[in-house]
Amino acid sequence: MALQCGIVGLPNVGKSTLFNCLSNAKAQAANFPFCTIEPNVGVITVPDERLTKLAEIDKPQRVIPTTVEIVDIAGLVKGASKGEGLGNKFLANIRETDAILHVLRCFDDENVVHVDGSVNPVRDKEIIDFELQLKDLDTVDRQLTKVQKQAQTGGDKQAKRLYDILLQYKTALEQGKSARTVKLDNKDDRKLAADLFLLTDKPVLYVCNVDEKSAVTGNAYVDQVREAIKEEGADLLVVAAKIESEISELDTYEERQMFLEEIGLQESGVVRLIKSAYHLLDLQTYFTTGADESRAWTFTRGSKAPQCAGIIHTDFERGFIRAEVIKYTDYVRLGSEAACREAGKIGVEGREYVVQDGDILHFRFNV
């Protein structure tokens, strides 16, 4: 499945710099608002040491990692929900993404102008939150008008349920809270809610863009953000985008690792960001491997074998018979599928098998 994350934030917080680190596509990283007028889309591979190891074992003709689409969305100003600046374009682009990477400026630099004149990441966060919440409130009010009569006078149970859900969202949004703070325990309720496509219901990762000396430990700005989001159910990641930009221009993996070690990091911010995005959306990876191809496939945690088979091709799900499963640790330890078979380490699983992260799968099907 193609995962799409939208990078958002006020102008001049480091969005385009971070995007350039993530993708070969280059957005114009200029020191003024709206330098990224059209969304730039970059497709990046998801780093996974397990796929590298499988390729070393099987030496296939092709190695295909899974990918993430990163969309650098135009900057935002106050009044975007009413169409100010590039607001309508911004809101339309963000609606299409699976998750939001909200970049916040957490560094001081007199050479980089802040659109509001001073560095205050919590204020910046609240500006974008407010605009998205206003747009969601408009969506909720329009939906309430549509379903109110059915819910209150008719016998349509689903309309009544949707009406109740909309009222919960309306209450939260009017209190300045995002839609994601409304907890819906019922699976059917969550499905109804998902169909509303509310902007503030999307999973969000707050990316605190810091200076080099704060890349490992963070700083007071990061602490302020952490306190502000503690009840929001959102994740936070500290990244020094300027340093990441310098790292991305180094030629070899060894040079990049040496650079990281010098500043006290084990992994680059780019790698940590991609992994965090996967965690944010509850995604995991299974593998197929052999002489022809070693490949990573993304699935949602909790998916059963037929649904995972369908990610490769719909015929695999439609005609699913069984899945042959090898655990990654067994494959690496024994060194081949044949050795795993001889050792009795290949499980045969049916339709109810819940695929686990790192499983190596071979599907049997008939259509």
Side-chain angles (χ1 to χ4, degrees), residues 48 71 76 118 123 152 158 173 176 179 190 195 205 302 355 366:
D48 196 316
V71 185
L76 185 65
S118 62
R123 177 202 58 208
Q152 293 180 340
Q158 183 158 310
L173 291 164
R190 290 197 298 271
D195 290 341
L205 173 66
V355 175
N366 183 33

Side-chain angles (χ1 to χ4, degrees), residues 20-38:
N20 290 344
C21 300
L22 288 164
S23 169
N24 289 329
K26 295 297 179 185
Q28 181 190 359
N31 186 20
F32 55 86
F34 308 138
C35 61
T36 314
I37 295 176
E38 294 295 333

Side-chain angles (χ1 to χ4, degrees), residues 158-179:
Q158 183 158 310
K160 186 177 187 313
R161 192 66 211 132
L162 177 57
Y163 183 74
D164 291 342
I165 292 169
L166 287 166
L167 287 178
Q168 290 182 62
Y169 281 133
K170 183 177 175 66
T171 299
L173 291 164
E174 287 180 338
Q175 292 174 352
K177 298 178 181 178
S178 293

Side-chain angles (χ1 to χ4, degrees), residues 223-259:
D223 293 339
Q224 291 167 17
V225 175
R226 188 174 283 114
E227 177 66 21
I229 69 170
K230 64 182 182 182
E231 296 179 1
E232 201 176 307
D235 292 343
L236 181 148
L237 182 70
V238 176
V239 172
K242 187 176 180 181
I243 297 302
E244 293 293 326
S245 179
E246 294 176 14
I247 292 172
S248 68
E249 292 178 4
L250 296 175
D251 293 329
T252 67
Y253 173 80
E254 288 74 17
E255 286 178 306
R256 292 191 289 272
Q257 284 303 117
M258 282 180 62
F259 194 124

Side-chain angles (χ1 to χ4, degrees), residues 188-206:
D188 293 334
D189 288 355
R190 290 197 298 271
K191 175 66 170 66
L192 287 171
D195 290 341
L196 296 171
F197 297 104
L198 297 179
L199 300 173
T200 63
D201 199 31
K202 293 179 181 293
V204 62
L205 173 66
Y206 290 103

Side-chain angles (χ1 to χ4, degrees), residues 36-282:
T36 314
I37 295 176
E38 294 295 333
N40 290 266
V41 181
V43 179
I44 59 175
T45 59
V46 177
D48 196 316
E49 301 83 357
R50 297 171 300 182
L51 181 64
T52 303
K53 188 65 178 177
L54 291 176
E56 289 174 357
I57 292 172
D58 287 326
K59 298 178 174 56
Q61 295 179 30
R62 297 181 303 277
V63 179
I64 305 177
T66 191
T67 60
V68 176
E69 284 187 5
I70 301 293
V71 185
D72 185 14
I73 298 172
L76 185 65
V77 295
K78 293 175 183 176
S81 59
K82 306 299 183 186
E84 294 294 327
L86 299 172
N88 289 331
K89 189 179 289 288
F90 172 94
L91 296 167
N93 291 331
I94 197 174
R95 197 178 296 279
E96 297 170 4
T97 63
D98 298 302
I100 298 170
L101 308 177
H102 187 160
V103 183
L104 296 168
R105 177 171 170 173
C106 294
F107 66 90
D108 294 305
D109 187 341
E110 61 184 19
N111 295 317
V112 180
V113 178
H114 191 287
V115 69
D116 281 328
S118 62
V119 178
N120 186 332
V122 175
R123 177 202 58 208
D124 295 353
K125 169 195 174 308
E126 289 173 350
I127 288 172
I128 288 190
D129 284 350
F130 181 69
E131 297 301 333
L132 298 183
Q133 288 162 8
L134 279 181
K135 196 66 178 179
D136 280 350
L137 188 55
D138 179 58
T139 299
V140 167
D141 282 339
R142 283 188 282 108
Q143 288 294 324
L144 277 169
T145 301
K146 285 182 181 179
V147 303
Q148 185 172 11
K149 189 172 182 179
Q150 284 177 288
Q152 293 180 340
T153 62
D156 190 334
K157 291 183 178 179
Q158 183 158 310
K160 186 177 187 313
R161 192 66 211 132
L162 177 57
Y163 183 74
D164 291 342
I165 292 169
L166 287 166
L167 287 178
Q168 290 182 62
Y169 281 133
K170 183 177 175 66
T171 299
L173 291 164
E174 287 180 338
Q175 292 174 352
K177 298 178 181 178
S178 293
R180 75 181 70 89
T181 63
V182 175
K183 303 303 180 187
L184 301 174
D185 297 325
N186 184 286
K187 182 179 179 181
D188 293 334
D189 288 355
R190 290 197 298 271
K191 175 66 170 66
L192 287 171
D195 290 341
L196 296 171
F197 297 104
L198 297 179
L199 300 173
T200 63
D201 199 31
K202 293 179 181 293
V204 62
L205 173 66
Y206 290 103
V207 182
C208 293
N209 183 18
V210 300
D211 52 25
E212 180 178 352
K213 69 177 184 293
S214 306
V216 178
T217 59
N219 56 29
Y221 291 132
V222 174
D223 293 339
Q224 291 167 17
V225 175
R226 188 174 283 114
E227 177 66 21
I229 69 170
K230 64 182 182 182
E231 296 179 1
E232 201 176 307
D235 292 343
L236 181 148
L237 182 70
V238 176
V239 172
K242 187 176 180 181
I243 297 302
E244 293 293 326
S245 179
E246 294 176 14
I247 292 172
S248 68
E249 292 178 4
L250 296 175
D251 293 329
T252 67
Y253 173 80
E254 288 74 17
E255 286 178 306
R256 292 191 289 272
Q257 284 303 117
M258 282 180 62
F259 194 124
L260 287 170
E261 288 171 10
E262 284 177 9
I263 61 175
L265 292 172
Q266 294 183 328
E267 290 183 312
S268 73
V270 168
V271 170
R272 289 183 288 118
L273 190 149
I274 298 167
K275 289 181 177 179
S276 295
Y278 258 55
H279 178 263
L280 190 68
L281 288 168
D282 219 12

